[in-house]
């Protein structure tokens, strides 16, 4: 008999789920590290892609900015190539089952496990005036996001690996008590270099939305001149050779970005720039990134000028997602002993 946990009932395709927090403007790390993979995989899977606005409030957000960004992140998914006709696209807070299952997940995630999460440790340091309980239990909500849809595969960047392992551990723990309720999700972390794009200013640190240094990140919606300028200012080293090597973090990162934008391997890049200086290389990286981003920006602007169309996509998406999520939630509630009347 077909295991309904491993595919949607209407198809044999496996299920993908992923999301990005609406905490700021998306950068090339989000595109190369996450969204590009979603686009590549979308035809072969059933896809649930959402904007994690509930995760976003673990750090203080300006309400108007959060509202605007949630819509912009959704539009960015589509502008980057996500097809809303084949993917279920929604905003996390529009599907109440996420918080409902999150409470249950909180009761199956251990204090010690949550304490070991590096994201929690990092964010606690960055926001030492606001180490709230949501920041601590963030991975329990993330486990709910994933397990509600019986996701088989969760495509994320390398920094999310630990959260995915915790979601798997919770699912295994729950199943060992109540039977085969949850599908055990697998992370999909690209083996390509794109799994981690680093800051242009501190190239050992991940390029992140919440970095306050504007020169550290290249935003998907940055203007051409700004992109070229940011690459020109990128931190490198005192040598002159474009070569991927230990200790050359700035150049390694630029080579990674160039490789993501052009599809060229490191040795090809080394040959292409042999005898040329860092200045030429930085300009080429900037131009390659501009040519990837131009069509995305054009499409984004078109989508944002039809707000009603975008809202309709998200409304339909939330309905579809809720339908699927509520089925899992009902099963969980029954298993754990909540009274059904
Ligand atoms: P914040 O700064 O708000 O904590 P973030 O910029 O780190 O957020 P997330 O919302 O945590 O971004 O990440 C969304 C997705 O994009 C995740 O799958 C994450 O792994 C991936 N991602 C984020 N930044 C990068 C990066 N620099 N390189 C590769 N992948 C990334
Ligand atoms: N924590 C994730 C965003 C996120 C997510 C998810 C990713 C929230 N829920 C479920 C994959 C699956 C991040 O990228 N920071």
């Amino acid at each position: 008999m077909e295991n309904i946990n491993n595919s949607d009932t209407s198809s044999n395709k496996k299920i993908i789920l992923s999301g990005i927090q609406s905490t700021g403007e998306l950068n090339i790390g989000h595109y190369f590290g996450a969204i590009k993979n979603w686009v590549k995989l979308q035809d072969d899977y059933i896809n649930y892609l959402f904007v994690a606005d509930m995760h976003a409030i673990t750090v203080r957000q300006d309400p108007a900015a959060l509202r605007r960004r949630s819509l912009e992140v959704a539009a960015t998914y589509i502008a980057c190539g996500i097809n809303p006709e084949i993917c279920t696209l929604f905003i996390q807070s529009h599907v109440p089952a996420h918080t409902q299952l999150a409470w249950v997940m909180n009761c199956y995630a251990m204090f010690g496990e949550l304490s070991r999460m590096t994201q929690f440790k990092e964010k606690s340091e960055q926001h030492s005036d606001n180490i709230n309980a949501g920041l601590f239990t963030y991975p329990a909500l993330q486990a709910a996001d994933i397990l509600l849809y019986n996701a088989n595969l969760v495509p994320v960047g390398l920094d999310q690996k630990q959260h995915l392992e915790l979601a798997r551990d919770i699912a295994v723990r729950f199943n060992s008590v109540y039977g085969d309720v949850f599908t055990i999700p697998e992370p999909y972390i690209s083996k390509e270099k794109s799994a981690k794009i680093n800051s242009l200013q501190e190239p050992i640190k991940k390029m992140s939305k919440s970095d306050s240094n504007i020169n550290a990140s290249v935003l998907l919606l940055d203007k051409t001149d700004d992109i070229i300028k940011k690459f020109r200012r990128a931190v490198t080293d005192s040598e002159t050779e474009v070569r991927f090597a230990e200790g050359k973090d700035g150049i390694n990162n630029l080579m990674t970005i160039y490789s993501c934008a052009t599809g060229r391997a490191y040795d090809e890049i080394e040959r292409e720039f042999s005898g040329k200086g860092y200045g030429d290389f930085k300009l080429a990286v900037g131009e390659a990134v501009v040519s990837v981003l131009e069509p995305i920006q054009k499409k984004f602007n078109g989508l944002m000028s039809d707000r009603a169309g975008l809202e309709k996509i998200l409304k339909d998406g939330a309905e579809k997602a809720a339908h699927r999520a509520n089925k899992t939630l009902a099963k969980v509630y029954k298993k754990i002993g909540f009274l059904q009347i």
Side-chain angles (χ1 to χ4, degrees), residues 125-141:
E125 273 174 31
Q126 282 165 18
H127 305 278
S128 54
D129 56 336
N130 180 25
I131 308 177
N132 61 72
L135 197 59
F136 186 66
T137 63
Y138 179 115
L141 175 59

Side-chain angles (χ1 to χ4, degrees), residues 1-15 46 149-152 175 179-185 324 328 331:
M1 200 181 92
E2 189 198 16
N3 176 4
I4 58 153
N5 276 348
N6 283 331
S7 64
D8 247 20
T9 39
S10 56
S11 144
N12 284 325
K13 286 183 175 173
K14 292 201 167 181
I15 300 172
I46 291 161
Y149 299 91
N150 289 313
N152 301 97
N175 284 358
D180 193 14
V181 178
F182 294 128
T183 299
I184 311 301
R324 188 77 176 84
T328 307
K331 193 169 172 187

Side-chain angles (χ1 to χ4, degrees), residues 21-260:
Q21 305 178 78
S22 40
T23 38
E25 292 182 45
L26 301 194
N27 63 48
I28 53 173
H30 301 108
Y31 178 63
F32 292 128
I35 306 174
K36 202 175 165 191
N37 286 323
W38 306 350
V39 174
K40 197 168 75 189
L41 297 166
Q42 66 182 338
D43 291 324
D44 299 324
Y45 289 84
I46 291 161
N47 311 274
Y48 290 94
L49 301 171
F50 68 99
V51 178
D53 59 343
M54 291 197 297
H55 279 106
I57 63 158
T58 54
V59 171
R60 289 282 172 264
Q61 303 293 333
D62 170 67
L66 181 62
R67 252 190 303 275
R68 174 176 52 77
R69 282 198 198 115
S70 293
L71 199 66
E72 284 175 358
V73 171
T76 306
Y77 291 175
I78 304 173
C80 290
I82 290 299
N83 178 355
E85 306 215 327
I86 57 174
C87 299
T88 303
L89 204 69
F90 63 100
I91 307 281
Q92 188 183 30
S93 65
H94 293 180
V95 182
H98 287 249
T99 29
Q100 291 171 299
L101 187 65
W103 175 252
V104 180
M105 297 293 97
N106 268 315
C107 300
Y108 290 82
M110 298 298 146
F111 183 86
E113 288 174 322
L114 294 170
S115 314
R116 286 193 289 277
M117 295 294 118
T118 47
Q119 183 175 303
F120 171 67
K121 291 186 210 164
E122 282 169 13
K123 297 235 160 158
S124 304
E125 273 174 31
Q126 282 165 18
H127 305 278
S128 54
D129 56 336
N130 180 25
I131 308 177
N132 61 72
L135 197 59
F136 186 66
T137 63
Y138 179 115
L141 175 59
Q142 185 162 347
D145 298 337
I146 298 167
L147 301 180
L148 272 176
Y149 299 91
N150 289 313
N152 301 97
L153 212 59
V154 185
V156 282
L158 194 57
D159 61 297
Q160 291 300 309
K161 192 164 176 249
Q162 210 186 14
H163 287 164
L164 286 212
E165 279 161 5
L166 182 55
R168 281 173 62 91
D169 290 346
I170 296 175
V172 169
R173 185 172 301 144
F174 194 94
N175 284 358
S176 72
V177 181
Y178 301 104
D180 193 14
V181 178
F182 294 128
T183 299
I184 311 301
E186 295 285 340
Y188 177 95
I189 297 166
S190 172
K191 300 247 175 339
E192 292 171 30
K193 310 111 198 153
S194 58
K196 195 167 177 234
I197 304 292
N198 285 342
S199 153
L200 298 188
Q201 292 300 314
E202 292 171 85
I204 46 166
K205 244 179 67 184
K206 188 182 82 152
M207 188 180 284
S208 159
K209 292 188 220 90
S210 32
D211 199 320
S212 54
N213 182 345
I214 55 163
N215 287 317
S217 311
V218 175
L219 307 181
L220 296 183
L221 301 177
D222 266 345
K223 294 199 183 78
T224 298
D225 289 354
D226 292 332
I227 296 173
I228 302 291
K229 233 185 272 165
K230 285 181 182 182
F231 280 110
R232 199 184 310 131
R233 290 184 185 148
V235 167
T236 50
D237 52 59
S238 54
E239 294 182 9
T240 52
E241 210 184 335
V242 176
R243 179 171 59 90
F244 198 95
E246 212 172 295
K248 288 175 74 72
D249 300 310
I251 287 294
N252 294 350
N253 189 38
L254 293 177
M255 286 179 73
T256 299
I257 295 169
Y258 192 62
S259 172
C260 288

